[in-house]
Amino acid sequence: MSTQTEVAPDPVRRRSLYRGDPGMWSWVLHRITGVSIFFFLFVHVLDTAMIRVNPDTYDKIIDTYKTPIIGLMEIGLVACVLYHALNGVRIILIDFWSTGPKYQRQMLWTILSVFVIVFAAGAVRMLQLLIQNL
């Protein structure tokens, strides 16, 4: 005769491990801005290398950078570099300051406030120059 065995209940599935904590979004944004900066540097090295290959091609590439779309991308680059730098300082403080983990959330809101203020001022000036050069 066989006996029935018990079947384990289905595991409860969660949509996200972190559930949208601000620290998680800070981590995600730090990675995205880092990859964006890396991509910019890669393109920058390639276009600068073109001056040794063919100066006329280099001039054409530089002319394409004078379009309004690239101007908006430059503003995005400034946002990426500024956020990545400020959040990097926060990460350093969390890692090397003994009470850093205790104040990590306050430091996050502080760097976000500084980011908004500095980026707003920079973006306004860059937009002025962009509109002026149309």
Side-chain angles (χ1 to χ4, degrees):
M1 280 198 194
S2 65
T3 60
Q4 277 188 329
T5 57
E6 290 186 33
V7 177
D10 291 335
V12 177
R13 297 196 183 250
R14 298 180 192 162
R15 289 185 356 178
S16 172
L17 180 65
Y18 297 105
R19 298 187 191 143
D21 184 66
M24 180 205 63
W25 292 113
S26 171
W27 179 85
V28 168
L29 194 55
H30 193 77
R31 296 312 186 265
I32 290 170
T33 57
V35 169
S36 300
I37 294 166
F38 175 78
F39 177 73
F40 164 76
L41 291 174
F42 181 72
V43 171
H44 180 64
V45 167
L46 287 177
D47 69 13
T48 304
M50 285 304 296
I51 199 163
R52 303 262 306 157
V53 176
N54 187 350
D56 293 331
T57 304
Y58 174 78
D59 290 337
K60 289 177 186 174
I61 292 170
I62 295 302
D63 286 339
T64 62
Y65 292 162
K66 296 177 184 174
T67 63
I69 293 173
I70 299 296
L72 293 174
M73 290 172 70
E74 286 177 344
I75 294 171
L77 177 65
V78 169
C80 288
V81 170
L82 182 62
Y83 175 80
H84 197 80
L86 291 172
N87 195 51
V89 170
R90 182 183 78 93
I91 291 169
I92 290 169
L93 288 173
I94 291 170
D95 286 345
F96 294 110
W97 182 29
S98 62
T99 56
K102 180 179 176 183
Y103 297 110
Q104 68 91 15
R105 189 174 298 268
Q106 291 89 339
M107 288 189 288
L108 174 61
W109 294 113
T110 301
I111 67 127
L112 288 176
S113 301
V114 171
F115 169 79
V116 167
I117 293 167
V118 173
F119 178 67
V124 166
R125 180 62 182 145
M126 290 178 78
L127 281 171
Q128 286 174 345
L129 293 171
L130 183 65
I131 292 169
Q132 194 176 37
N133 291 326
L134 284 179

